[in-house]
Amino acid sequence: MRHFSLSKVLPLAAAAVFYPSFSFAAPQEDKNHQQNKAEHITVHSRSQPLKETAAIGGKLGLSIQHSPATIDVIDRSVMNQRGYAHAEEAADSAPGVSSGGSPGSPAQFVMRGFSGNQILMLRDGIYYGPTTMVNRPLNTFNLQSVQVLQGPSSVLYGQGAVGGTVDMRTRDPAFDHAHANALVSYGSFNTWNAGIGGSVPVTDTLAIRTDFSRTSSNGYVKGADPHSNDFTTTLIWKPTRKFSARFSIDYLTDRLSTYYGTPLVPLSETGGRAGGLLHSSQGLGITRSSMWHNYNVKNPQASSTNVTPTLHLQWQPTEHITFHNKSYFVYAKRRWNNAETYSYISSPGATDAAGNAIAPGRVGRDRFYVYMNQHQVGDTLDGTLDFSLFGLKNRLVVGGDAYYIRLIRDRGFPDATYADSVALDSSNTGPTAGFAGEYPSRKSPTTMIDAAVFMEDVITVTSKLRLVGGYRYDWLHLDRQNYNQNGSFNAASSFKKLYNPSNFRIGPVYDLTKNISIYGVFTTADDPPGSNIFLVNKGQFNRLSHTRQGEIGAKGSFWHGRFTSAIAFYDIRRTHILVANGQDSVTTAGGQKSRGLEWQGNLVLNPHWNISGNVAYTWSRYGSSFYPSAGVNASGNAVPNVPAVTANLWAVWSRVENLPLDLGAGMRYISSRKGDYANTLTLKDYALVNVFAAWHAYKGVTVYGRIDNVGNKHFIQWASTDYPSEVILGAPRSFSISVQAGF
């Protein structure tokens, strides 16, 4: 398994953010109740989401309007309507966000020109480790919302947060009365989604909610066969108005899609070009006959078991003082065993692991297995104090954060470059293992201990002007150990080191009117320099990567709340980054700069029509002296997989002719992107259109029908720099029918 990219295991839903009608959650204890009441009401809402508070924005409790950052919250009513089965599909609807990749790295986003481990993934505000290594696609049935914070957030969440942060927030029980929810869906590629859950107030002070969901599919590439089971239980105890406790446990088992990509071939030798997908200055392309083949082995493995209990405690001893503590434990077991790299053989001379010659025109394959066991424990304690400072209203948050991660990684691969080979027009053949050099495994136990102190502060200078700031200082200790195949300790590549990153953010927020605000913010970040910190070896870096971002923006609602809009300009500079140059090593490769513009808006024309959309422009380039490998000078080149333009548009006609019927259509556009460091490969732009209809058959029961990628557009979703000989195709046209119920 190589640690770049994310694969969509279910058909792609092309969509845009509903902003504001659906995108922001109600107060925590009433979320489920409000969602059940208003799930089928599309454009009738007159809520002002800018006044809502998003947990991802920090601990100050600022509204989205008064947070000096770009924040999007995709609520479960949006996820229900659009048919999002996994959280990354929801995050893709935020401005400038895209995702893709292989099952070797099942949590890969692109934001503001950065990807991979420079996008932080959280679960209820908790960090579980390097994004591309430890995170898994989550079923949205168990979630209340997916929250997206654009730009660096190391001040708020520590390392690994340069391009942005995504937080998956689970559903809470309600205290008003019992609730029940259910979902069943069937679609193309034998895709099934099902979920059942409910909330019960046990007493006036204790409530419980349990949700179970399952997704399964044959995959749009034959043999991918992804599936997952997610079980979540949450208890909330509120014995007094001043104290509350929230205990939650999530148990997830899954099998990722095992489609790693389609091989690039020299078209001068093969012919049969599949048009409209890519352009290569080296004459490479994809043949029509190979488009939907799965070149993995017959019995591939990409599975995991994850258990994550968490405990949140909140105590408010006085009106002006609040304490909050969250404790958590993570246990995860992950298993990969696949043929992951597929290389077209153009000339004689290549041999497989058995010493057999590989004939030109065949596809050489590797083998790679990774077995992981992760244990993690952590705790965060903070206190909030409201007071006056020189006569000015002030809110101060001070706290500490500590966690311990122990990850044991066993991996192996044959000594030979190619384990075996297959014909270009065949797939899913050959054994998983049994090649010289694979066993015994190469073991790498790694321990990471982090302790931090942090503070956030907002001072109300005038009734219209707020100054928001924050600071975080970390003691990050990394103990990276490597062992040879004979079990001996490899001192040459192992190391221990202590890092002390310190970061801050500061920016004013000014209210032009009650409903319109402008802001500016300067943010810094120090984190592992570009690659997975659990893969680096001795001598590959001596200091953390440093990032700084400047951002200005405006947010506002107009026309009595019918039109809501937000715009942001940003500039990010990052230095001392690393890139992967092999399965277990990285190299220093200079800097990266990114700047861009993001806009989003929502317009309620009348009680039946709603139009929403967003567009983002991103310019992202590597700096001077950027050499990702010895033979490649990428200085000044465009960053792979970063589209210059992303755009989403969505329109909904609610209560058509006063019938219990909603009709909707959406479009998603991704401009062309580079597919490699040298910029010799260009992935062509694409636009996807989807349509849906919703029939509100009975109070609380809605039947949805939807078609994604109506035009059956063939496109490339991702080109991993770690798999340069192949690319990931996007999903073709698909349909789904679902029944959702909430009482």
Side-chain angles (χ1 to χ4, degrees), residues 278-523:
L278 59 88
H279 171 75
S280 169
S281 61
Q282 298 178 328
L284 301 177
I286 292 175
T287 64
R288 291 187 296 272
S289 62
S290 66
M291 279 190 64
W292 306 112
H293 283 281
N294 190 341
Y295 290 87
N296 211 328
V297 293
K298 277 186 177 180
N299 54 340
Q301 185 177 16
S303 60
S304 76
T305 299
N306 307 267
V307 184
T308 54
T310 62
L311 176 64
H312 293 252
L313 303 175
Q314 184 165 304
W315 178 44
Q316 187 176 12
T318 73
E319 182 182 353
H320 303 290
I321 300 175
T322 303
F323 294 101
H324 179 261
N325 188 85
K326 63 180 179 184
S327 304
Y328 55 93
F329 175 77
V330 178
Y331 168 74
K333 179 175 69 175
R334 310 179 188 97
R335 300 290 184 265
W336 284 267
N337 199 345
N338 300 276
E340 300 184 0
T341 300
Y342 318 126
S343 303
Y344 183 83
I345 306 300
S346 295
S347 58
T351 58
D352 62 20
N356 300 317
I358 302 178
R362 291 178 65 83
V363 176
R365 304 187 301 183
D366 70 348
R367 293 293 190 279
F368 189 41
Y369 71 83
V370 174
Y371 300 152
M372 293 182 194
N373 286 282
Q374 178 182 348
H375 295 82
Q376 178 176 345
V377 61
D379 188 86
T380 302
L381 173 65
D382 60 80
T384 302
L385 176 63
D386 293 308
F387 62 99
S388 293
L389 181 66
F390 304 113
L392 303 178
K393 183 179 178 181
N394 192 73
R395 170 169 288 183
L396 174 67
V397 176
V398 178
D401 180 26
Y403 59 80
Y404 165 93
I405 300 177
R406 175 71 168 176
L407 189 142
I408 300 175
R409 180 172 175 261
D410 294 342
R411 77 275 186 206
F413 29 84
D415 291 332
T417 301
Y418 305 111
D420 61 5
S421 67
V422 294
L424 184 60
D425 58 355
S426 68
S427 55
N428 291 103
T429 60
T432 303
F435 302 99
E438 287 186 298
Y439 296 99
S441 65
R442 298 163 173 85
K443 185 182 295 289
S444 293
T446 302
T447 302
M448 185 164 66
I449 302 174
D450 185 66
V453 292
F454 59 85
M455 61 82 67
E456 296 181 61
D457 187 83
V458 55
I459 183 169
T460 305
V461 181
T462 70
S463 60
K464 293 185 176 182
L465 177 63
R466 294 168 175 83
L467 184 63
V468 180
Y471 177 78
R472 179 178 173 115
Y473 185 89
D474 288 78
W475 294 266
L476 177 63
H477 181 264
L478 180 66
D479 184 358
R480 165 77 166 156
Q481 299 178 4
N482 289 314
Y483 289 86
N484 300 315
Q485 285 187 287
N486 62 8
S488 62
F489 180 68
N490 188 336
S493 61
S494 302
F495 71 99
K496 296 180 182 181
K497 194 168 180 64
L498 177 66
Y499 305 93
N500 298 109
S502 62
N503 294 287
F504 71 93
R505 72 165 180 167
I506 188 167
V509 181
Y510 183 78
D511 294 342
L512 296 176
T513 71
K514 180 181 178 181
N515 297 315
I516 304 173
S517 298
I518 59 175
Y519 69 91
V521 65
F522 183 84
T523 308

Side-chain angles (χ1 to χ4, degrees), residues 143-208:
L143 301 180
Q144 177 59 39
S145 66
V146 175
Q147 304 187 8
V148 181
L149 172 65
Q150 306 269 29
S153 54
S154 293
V155 172
L156 301 178
Y157 299 110
Q159 55 97 17
V162 175
T165 301
V166 180
D167 190 6
M168 284 77 72
R169 312 292 300 190
T170 54
R171 303 172 76 172
D172 277 349
F175 281 85
D176 52 357
H177 55 78
H179 299 275
N181 302 90
L183 162 71
V184 62
S185 172
Y186 178 76
S188 300
F189 321 116
N190 195 34
T191 299
W192 286 92
N193 298 314
I196 186 169
S199 172
V200 177
V202 180
T203 68
D204 291 340
T205 61
L206 179 67
I208 183 172

Side-chain angles (χ1 to χ4, degrees), residues 566-583:
I567 189 169
F569 302 85
Y570 63 87
D571 183 277
I572 302 175
R573 302 296 173 95
R574 181 171 169 80
T575 58
H576 299 101
I577 69 174
L578 300 183
V579 296
N581 62 353
Q583 293 171 327

Side-chain angles (χ1 to χ4, degrees), residues 5 57 163 247 251 333 381 481 500 592 605 619 665 667 720 727:
S5 66
F247 175 77
Y251 179 79
K333 179 175 69 175
L381 173 65
Q481 299 178 4
N500 298 109
Q592 181 180 338
L605 293 173
W619 181 91
M667 184 193 75
S720 174
V727 293

